[in-house]
Amino acid sequence: VTVAGSFICFFWSLVLLMITMIAGALIQCQLVSFYLTDPAISETTRAWSYEMYGTMSRAFWTIFEATFSGGWPNYARLLVTEVSIWFAFFWFVYVTGIIFAMTRIISALFLK
């Protein structure tokens, strides 16, 4: 009974986490798309931005890596410093709300 309950809890935790990661990827993909044709941004930065966030699948993979690898600054820093400081707001909310808080809550469910 306890193991079955854990699997149900695990399943719904993953569903919630995937939904929030998809939402984050959609937001990043849309936000980055405004800057992909901006001539004020260097060609290498635009190429990197497209490689990381240019399509929904690329953005989701990047968000997935940022969420589970612990290397989120690698995916955020160039956007904040080279593209727009406003990306710092997205990453602040995502890191504190999803990477920190939600994963801690999910971990606490299984340690309970």
Side-chain angles (χ1 to χ4, degrees), residues 3 6 8-9 16 22-23 29 33 38 43 47 49 55 60-61 73 78 89 96 98 102-103 106-108 111-112:
V3 174
S6 293
I8 292 170
C9 182
L16 178 62
I22 289 170
C29 185
S33 69
D38 187 355
E43 183 66 34
S49 298
T55 65
F60 179 75
W61 184 251
L78 194 62
F89 177 74
T96 57
I98 306 305
M102 189 176 291
T103 55
I106 291 170
S107 297
L111 295 175
K112 182 176 106 170

Side-chain angles (χ1 to χ4, degrees), residues 2 10 16 23 74 78 97:
T2 309
F10 177 70
L16 178 62
N74 299 328
L78 194 62

Side-chain angles (χ1 to χ4, degrees), residues 12-31:
W12 286 112
S13 297
L14 283 182
V15 168
L16 178 62
L17 195 56
M18 286 297 148
I19 288 171
T20 56
M21 288 188 331
I22 289 170
L26 283 170
I27 291 168
Q28 278 293 79
C29 185
Q30 288 299 307
L31 291 175

Side-chain angles (χ1 to χ4, degrees), residues 43-83:
E43 183 66 34
T44 56
T45 302
R46 285 187 283 159
W48 179 87
S49 298
Y50 180 77
E51 183 180 327
M52 294 294 147
Y53 303 102
T55 65
M56 176 52 198
S57 57
R58 290 173 188 238
F60 179 75
W61 184 251
T62 302
I63 293 293
F64 179 84
E65 286 182 329
T67 303
F68 292 113
S69 72
W72 64 267
N74 299 328
Y75 304 107
R77 185 171 316 278
L78 194 62
L79 286 176
V80 173
T81 59
E82 301 288 325
V83 179

